Amino acid sequence: MIVGKVVGSIVSTRKSEKLIGNKFMIVEPLHHMKGDLNQIVAIDNIGAGIGEYVLVAQGSAARIGCDLETAPVDAAIVGIIDDGAGLE
């Protein structure tokens, strides 16, 4: 799981049927968690907003975390951080 900041959203009118009705957000991992990623697209079923710090699960944990085990999901926002003291 990584911690990141929501920096934008994506609208996709044409997508896999298994993703219809889902919201997609652009997340920037915090500098010490980013590895080789500058930004990722994560499915958001919990209602995160731009500017919020979030917990992002990746891989099979992302699919399980958003109850889409058979959907093509690689990253999912699974939590919104209330107190991010010491994150940056």
Side-chain angles (χ1 to χ4, degrees):
M1 201 168 343
I2 62 170
V3 175
K5 185 175 185 178
V6 177
V7 296
S9 63
I10 292 181
V11 176
S12 173
T13 55
R14 296 183 67 180
K15 56 187 163 264
S16 168
E17 289 182 16
K18 295 180 181 185
L19 297 176
I20 292 173
N22 289 289
K23 182 172 113 179
F24 300 95
M25 304 302 280
I26 301 169
V27 178
E28 248 177 39
L30 295 186
H31 68 282
H32 57 284
M33 295 189 171
K34 70 171 35 176
D36 61 348
L37 300 172
N38 288 326
Q39 294 181 334
I40 57 174
V41 175
I43 198 164
D44 176 25
N45 290 333
I46 61 171
I50 294 174
E52 290 188 295
Y53 288 98
V54 294
L55 296 171
V56 178
Q58 295 182 295
S60 61
R63 289 185 293 280
I64 293 167
C66 64
D67 292 326
L68 295 171
E69 287 87 358
T70 61
V73 173
D74 186 50
I77 296 173
V78 295
I80 298 172
I81 297 173
D82 295 324
D83 181 4
L87 285 177
E88 294 206 44

